[in-house]
Amino acid sequence: MSAAAPANFTLYADAQFTSPYALSVFVTLREKGLPFDLRTVDLALGAHHETSYADLSLTRRVPTLVHGDFTLSESSAITEYLEAIAPANPVYPTDVRELARARQVQAWLRSDLGVLRAERSTEVIFYGPTRDPLSDAGYAAASKLIAIAQSLLPDGRMSLFDKWCIADVDLALMLNRLVYNDDVVPPALAEFARRQFARPAVQEWIAIKRPARPGDPVEDKAA
């Protein structure tokens, strides 16, 4: 581990813990065994635009990582930084071409399939499914996701490469937008997504207690 790594880490995530990008960084920190403090930013209240957070986060988004006197936002930049300063327990492939492929998958998942991300937000995973059917555009995006995932995971592969990498979790989360909503997903891809979500670090994120959403029924605690 380089001399940059011993300082404390602080990870800023969304208050609802539904950000797929905060999840990606959370899992990376856990997989690398790096201790960190977890703090939240209430995006619904616009806290990410407040001066105190804007001074930390260049892009005023989550996740943001604070490492000593250094701050960094944008999840793939953060995970690549953590890989560079703490190479033990790697979360990226070491082969240069596989590394490029992993980065390609991450960039694609963050920049494409916007309709699917809108119609199947991560709330279907962390809060519960929606009854709204996919629109034609949403169905087209889901079909594209499935086709590309099948090409990345031929013959029932359960990881993108011979060893696990963080892009596996990122791809699984995108697929689980459909799986958790009972949309049609080929069994092999659904099993891939299930296995990736079974990793202890992902399960720890899933188990975080989340605040109720406006309009959600209040649990009756009466005897």
Side-chain angles (χ1 to χ4, degrees), residues 173-188:
L173 187 139
M174 186 63 80
L175 288 166
N176 273 333
R177 294 171 186 267
L178 300 172
V179 173
Y180 275 65
N181 208 68
D182 291 328
D183 294 305
V184 177
V185 176

Side-chain angles (χ1 to χ4, degrees), residues 112-136:
D112 197 3
L113 309 174
V115 175
L116 181 59
R117 285 186 272 121
E119 296 185 8
R120 293 293 181 266
S121 79
T122 51
E123 289 191 5
V124 305
I125 298 173
F126 302 115
Y127 281 95
T130 176
R131 296 179 181 178
D132 297 333
L134 288 168
S135 66
D136 289 346

Side-chain angles (χ1 to χ4, degrees), residues 159-180:
S159 61
L160 292 166
F161 311 105
D162 289 340
K163 293 184 178 180
W164 174 87
C165 77
I166 190 61
D168 285 313
V169 170
D170 291 343
L171 178 57
L173 187 139
M174 186 63 80
L175 288 166
N176 273 333
R177 294 171 186 267
L178 300 172
V179 173
Y180 275 65

